[in-house]
Amino acid sequence: MTFKLFLLCSFVFLGRPQDVLTFLQPMRPALVVTVLAVGAMIFGTRRQELSAALSSSVSKGYLLFFLIMIIGIPFAFHRRFAFEAVLVEGYYVNMLFFVLLVSQVTSLQRLKSLVWVICLCTLMYCVSGGLLQTEFAGGGRLYLAGEMFDPNDTAYVLLTLFPLCLYFVRIDEGLLKRLVAVAAVIGSMATILHTGSRGGIVGFGAVLLVLLLTKAGGIGKSYKWLIVVMLVSTLLFIRDAIDVERYLTLTDMSSDYNVTGKGGRLELWKGAIVLSFTNPVTGVGVQCFSWAHFLDKVAAGESYLRYHGVHNSYLQISAEVGLIGFGIFMYIIVRSFSTFLRMSRIQVQPEKRETSEMSALGGFMLLGFTGLLVSGFFLSQGYSIYLTLYFGLAVAVGRLQGSSSIWYSSSQEASSSYAKADGNMRLTEVDVRDTEARIHSGGKGTGGRARHGWDRE
């Protein structure tokens, strides 16, 4: 029951059905399922299991990262903003989700169940964006229902999720799951292109490069050609809805407003760097960059005064949490990336389905994490639940990979036991034959001819 509640919690957090099915919002589904899942975890999870889940280096780093956020609240440029962003309606939810994930995903089967829920979330985003909410599309850019995500965020979310759907395309888990996964992948490609997100298209290109030029996920040439065909078919089908001119501006960034204009990304990034070094220990406070940057502009006597996000996940963390927190944040990212990379390189043994599945999952997590890291460079998504998802997955698969030697040793012990049992059985047969041969030969010994004579009879 605890794990099922966790899966429901994951669907609500990652898929956000309440944004599309607005009648669910008064019921506060996220709060309800979180309370139920955490309560079930407290009363149903052994302390030893939870302690083991939180003892990894990534878990310790993540807990320390959260602690630094809390310590920084009294020193924030706007203490109420920081307090609410961390402990009232913000990052504590990520922390609960992280603890739930690392404590509940304790087997390969549970990991695959979580990936299946993620696949359903991806399909739901595509259906709501491509079919149910087409009236929200305007100016060549696709807006999903609700106020949670703009087009750039939508591309970020799908880049994070859709590579995991490839697992059910690559590994046979039944026809239904394969069809759902194919629909989710095609829908994600169409939606990403339709959002007009330039950061999203850069992240999409990075995912495709890793997918087509490496062996991540165990994707063979036939599957790679299939993905290319799917992409080309999607482009041809929705070519009239894609804002091609917007994407072509990437070839000439010198005149782009983000480089030259007031409030452009380049100016904001420079401001974030300045704030990072002037507030290196605790930062300006979680979700306080806009206020701190505004105050800097006022102090400098500038006439252009607006509130802006930093539009870069890494500089967001650096400015708001401080350089110490940023160092821990980057440590978690590097360790998670190395875990996915190491897992994707597991030497696949043809006779071991579990090994093939683990390697494929590691490869597709590597793809999704790549898309997340690249597209996050252009967005203020440093506190994203999807980053937390991949941090939790890194802990979970690291534990599974560490215990995978149990599979190998168990299989080897089982094979050895079968061999010994088979050998003993054969020896027993020989003993019986020897005894029978001795009887036929009058008790003069067994000898080769006696056994051969018994074989002929």
Side-chain angles (χ1 to χ4, degrees):
M1 176 60 71
T2 305
F3 181 67
K4 291 180 180 178
L5 283 172
F6 162 69
L7 292 180
L8 179 60
C9 185
S10 300
F11 184 76
V12 173
F13 280 171
L14 303 176
R16 300 193 59 82
Q18 60 271 30
D19 285 350
V20 177
L21 306 175
T22 54
F23 66 88
L24 294 175
Q25 293 178 2
M27 305 177 192
R28 302 294 297 276
L31 176 62
V32 172
V33 297
T34 300
V35 171
L36 292 175
V38 171
M41 178 190 68
I42 293 173
F43 293 105
T45 303
R46 298 177 184 176
R47 289 184 179 180
Q48 297 87 343
E49 294 178 354
L50 184 58
S51 176
L54 298 177
S55 63
S56 71
S57 59
V58 173
S59 294
K60 291 178 180 178
Y62 193 71
L63 293 172
L64 182 58
F65 181 63
F66 184 61
L67 179 61
I68 290 175
M69 287 185 187
I70 297 174
I71 293 173
I73 292 175
F75 308 97
F77 274 49
H78 199 301
R79 289 188 288 273
R80 181 171 64 83
F81 282 179
F83 178 78
E84 292 178 352
V86 177
L87 297 175
V88 177
E89 52 186 19
Y91 206 77
Y92 82 94
V93 175
N94 291 43
M95 177 54 64
L96 292 176
F97 180 68
F98 178 84
V99 174
L100 284 169
L101 196 159
V102 300
S103 64
Q104 295 303 310
V105 181
T106 55
S107 67
L108 178 59
Q109 187 57 46
R110 286 191 170 194
L111 177 60
K112 291 193 292 185
S113 297
L114 175 59
V115 174
W116 171 239
V117 169
I118 291 172
C119 188
L120 293 177
C121 292
T122 309
L123 182 64
M124 192 195 71
Y125 273 119
C126 300
V127 170
S128 64
L131 298 178
L132 301 180
Q133 304 297 333
T134 52
E135 68 271 16
F136 285 83
R141 307 195 70 187
L142 181 64
Y143 289 78
L144 299 188
E147 300 177 354
M148 185 67 180
F149 299 125
D150 66 11
N152 296 321
D153 295 327
T154 298
Y156 169 85
V157 170
L158 291 177
L159 280 171
T160 300
L161 300 182
F162 96 83
L164 297 177
C165 302
L166 291 170
Y167 171 79
F168 296 102
V169 179
R170 164 74 174 79
I171 303 294
D172 185 12
E173 293 285 345
L175 180 60
L176 174 61
K177 290 185 176 181
R178 177 163 289 179
L179 291 175
V180 169
V182 170
V185 171
I186 294 176
S188 296
M189 292 179 178
T191 305
I192 291 170
L193 294 171
H194 199 181
T195 59
S197 171
R198 293 179 294 180
I201 204 67
V202 172
F204 188 43
V207 171
L208 287 179
L209 282 176
V210 176
L211 178 64
L212 298 176
L213 300 181
T214 70
K215 297 181 180 179
I219 295 285
K221 289 184 178 179
S222 58
Y223 281 103
K224 290 179 180 180
W225 278 112
L226 175 61
I227 292 171
V228 171
V229 170
M230 290 164 58
L231 176 59
V232 173
S233 301
T234 303
L235 282 170
L236 293 175
F237 185 74
I238 64 168
R239 62 185 183 276
D240 294 334
I242 300 175
D243 189 354
V244 178
E245 292 182 0
R246 180 175 176 81
Y247 291 130
L248 291 177
T249 59
L250 288 170
T251 61
D252 182 21
M253 294 299 297
S254 59
S255 59
D256 190 270
Y257 77 94
N258 281 309
V259 176
T260 60
K262 289 288 186 180
R265 278 176 168 80
L266 190 59
E267 179 191 349
L268 295 170
W269 293 352
K270 290 178 180 178
I273 293 173
V274 171
L275 289 172
S276 299
F277 284 99
T278 53
N279 303 272
V281 180
T282 58
V284 300
V286 176
Q287 298 292 8
C288 291
F289 170 82
S290 298
W291 178 246
H293 184 64
F294 178 82
L295 292 180
D296 269 4
K297 293 294 184 184
V298 172
E302 295 194 15
S303 58
Y304 180 81
L305 299 175
R306 299 287 189 279
Y307 292 103
H308 291 285
V310 65
H311 296 293
N312 184 296
S313 299
Y314 310 100
L315 292 176
Q316 178 187 22
I317 297 298
S318 178
E320 295 184 352
V321 186
L323 295 179
I324 297 174
F326 174 71
I328 296 171
F329 179 73
M330 293 306 299
Y331 171 79
I332 299 171
I333 287 177
V334 170
R335 287 302 302 265
S336 299
F337 191 90
S338 64
T339 297
F340 299 140
L341 181 62
R342 183 175 66 252
M343 186 177 169
S344 67
R345 291 179 174 178
I346 295 175
Q347 187 173 2
V348 177
Q349 302 175 4
E351 67 275 10
K352 288 292 294 181
R353 178 181 171 89
E354 295 93 338
T355 312
S356 178
E357 292 174 345
M358 288 283 286
S359 179
L361 283 168
F364 296 131
M365 289 176 190
L366 184 66
L367 288 175
F369 201 47
T370 299
L372 179 150
L373 295 178
V374 174
S375 58
F377 189 84
F378 307 97
L379 297 172
S380 302
Q381 289 285 354
Y383 311 111
S384 167
I385 191 73
Y386 303 97
L387 259 174
T388 300
L389 167 67
Y390 274 89
F391 293 160
L393 286 174
V395 175
V397 301
R399 293 177 63 200
L400 290 178
Q401 187 179 357
S403 63
S404 62
S405 57
I406 298 175
W407 299 338
Y408 305 146
S409 60
S410 298
S411 63
Q412 290 170 358
E413 290 173 3
S415 300
S416 177
S417 300
Y418 292 147
K420 289 180 180 178
D422 186 56
N424 291 336
M425 187 180 297
R426 292 183 181 180
L427 288 174
T428 304
E429 292 176 356
V430 171
D431 291 341
V432 171
R433 293 180 181 181
D434 286 347
T435 303
E436 296 289 348
R438 189 177 294 111
I439 293 173
H440 281 276
S441 62
K444 294 181 180 179
T446 56
R449 281 184 292 181
R451 287 197 295 271
H452 291 167
W454 173 252
D455 288 343
R456 283 195 298 270
E457 293 178 2

